[in-house]
Amino acid sequence: MNSIAAVANPNIALIKYWGKRDEVLHLPMTTSLSLTLREFPTTTTVEPRPELTADRVTLAGAPASEAFTGRVARFLDLVRAGSGDRRYAMVDTANTVPTGAGLASSAAGFAALALAAATAYGLDLDPRALSRLARRGSGSAARSVFGGFVVWWRGEGVGAAGDLSSFAEPIDVPPMDAALVVALVDTREKAVPSREAMRRTVSTSPFYPPWVAESARHLDRMRAALRAGDLATVGEIAEANALGMHATMLGARPAVRYLAAGTLAVLDRVQELRAAGIGAWATMDAGPNVKVLCDSRDSAAVAAAVAEVVGAAERIVIATSGPGAVICGNGHR
Ligand code: 2P0
């Protein structure tokens, strides 16, 4: 039997993906821009087997929930449709990041699954096509196919035109010595899944359309700042984009609020760091945890300052730029 393992890392968006224009194809309302991390890899193994009558999914060896198994099976259906190989598969996925805590475990997971499954089923995909496939599992997974700074284009139109034009690609910019200090305020599974929260925001928040318009301007300015190696401008835009995204959620009905008291305490500390002359800028995803962008040379000082607020050094991870998805095992047994 041929089993293929792939590894992929999470990414943190500096310009966020929040809202879809096509729920089936996962076509986003906005173009997003992210940094793939070196930390928290997910390893996913796919082994198609002729005797199986359904896909069997495990999380680090333990049977996965029915909901997660169904999501993986629907994803594999896309791969089977593309390859003509109808076999079901054994799939194991092992995260090193707390699941469901707004730390993008689904991005790393579906990027690794897309690469492992495409390889195991013999789909010959170029990187752009692989990112489009990963997008079908989870939108943000399109970005984790690549390392470093990555842009995921919203694309144009819906249906096939939208599908073809909404892909991720690495941004060719001079290397930037940036770090993301991850402050784990709370690692419990979130109350509202991001998919539902996005839907509610798009359909009910009066603040959503202005954020979408602002996001396009943020993108142009951030790409210029990345080209110029201007971390301060990248950070200012990232923080504004994230706070704006959370404002759109607060305007939804019922409101979605991921920011917790501990989140605000970290935001206060980030402001204090800036007032003290240390460049530090915060971004938050679909959860209470905060990622603080800073120069790598300041990361230890930023980590120490934020650790005082979250109460324990083990709640801080200093993350840096990392690689895209790769095959890490090709086993015959
Ligand atoms: C992002 N997030 O750009 C944004 C910011 C959360 C906040 O992408 O429905 O798990 O599977 O496409 O990719 C989380 O959303 O959502 C996310 P689906 P996904 O990183």
Side-chain angles (χ1 to χ4, degrees):
M1 299 296 166
N2 198 7
S3 88
I4 300 287
V7 62
N9 296 331
N11 68 78
I12 300 299
L14 303 177
I15 306 256
K16 304 297 187 187
Y17 152 52
W18 195 251
K20 299 178 181 66
R21 65 181 195 279
D22 184 318
E23 295 256 347
V24 175
L25 293 171
H26 294 175
L27 300 178
M29 290 285 206
T30 56
T31 295
S32 52
L33 191 159
S34 58
L35 180 65
T36 299
L37 306 184
R38 183 166 299 285
E39 291 71 20
F40 305 126
T42 292
T43 304
T44 300
T45 306
V46 175
E47 182 179 351
R49 292 170 74 141
E51 76 279 13
L52 291 177
T53 55
D55 294 311
R56 293 242 302 267
V57 181
T58 49
L59 287 174
S65 67
E66 212 171 296
F68 186 72
T69 299
R71 196 166 159 192
V72 170
R74 284 190 295 279
F75 183 82
L76 291 178
D77 285 343
L78 298 171
V79 176
R80 284 186 280 261
S83 72
D85 182 341
R86 307 286 294 273
R87 288 176 299 167
Y88 293 105
M90 312 261 287
V91 176
D92 182 71
T93 188
N95 287 328
T96 54
V97 56
T99 304
L103 279 172
S105 60
S106 70
F110 277 98
L113 177 62
L115 179 57
T119 309
Y121 282 89
L123 282 185
D124 189 17
L125 302 181
D126 62 22
R128 181 177 292 192
L130 185 65
S131 79
R132 289 173 40 234
L133 175 64
R135 189 197 76 220
R136 300 291 296 275
S138 208
S140 53
R143 300 187 307 237
S144 275
V145 167
F146 303 103
F149 289 105
V150 177
V151 66
W152 169 26
W153 301 106
R154 77 183 289 280
E156 292 307 323
V158 290
D163 178 32
L164 278 170
S165 57
S166 185
F167 56 86
E169 61 185 359
I171 309 181
D172 188 17
V173 288
M176 187 177 258
D177 213 0
L180 276 166
V181 176
V182 181
L184 298 171
V185 169
D186 188 342
T187 55
R188 284 173 298 187
E189 190 116 1
K190 57 191 163 241
V192 188
S194 57
R195 202 163 276 192
E196 159 60 22
M198 277 185 206
R199 196 178 287 139
R200 204 187 287 172
T201 304
V202 174
S203 58
T204 70
S205 176
F207 310 141
Y208 186 67
W211 177 77
V212 169
E214 184 71 2
S215 194
R217 292 188 284 270
H218 283 160
L219 178 74
D220 289 344
R221 287 178 47 217
M222 190 177 287
R223 291 176 73 212
L226 285 170
R227 280 194 296 272
D230 178 356
L231 182 65
T233 300
V234 171
E236 280 164 21
I237 297 168
E239 191 171 293
N241 188 268
L243 290 171
M245 176 186 73
H246 285 278
T248 69
M249 298 183 210
L250 294 172
R253 289 297 173 265
V256 178
R257 183 172 62 85
Y258 289 122
L259 309 181
T263 315
L264 301 183
V266 176
L267 290 179
D268 281 348
R269 183 49 62 100
V270 168
Q271 254 177 2
E272 287 163 17
L273 281 166
R274 284 206 295 264
I278 296 179
W281 300 270
T283 185
M284 294 77 65
D285 295 294
N289 302 311
V290 185
K291 297 94 185 181
V292 185
L293 181 69
C294 61
D295 191 298
S296 289
R297 283 165 299 195
D298 293 330
S299 63
V302 170
V306 173
E308 285 173 14
V309 181
V310 296
E314 59 270 21
R315 292 185 155 271
I316 303 290
V317 178
I318 300 178
T320 51
S321 175
V326 288
I327 296 293
C328 62
N330 181 350
H332 293 268
R333 54 179 182 148

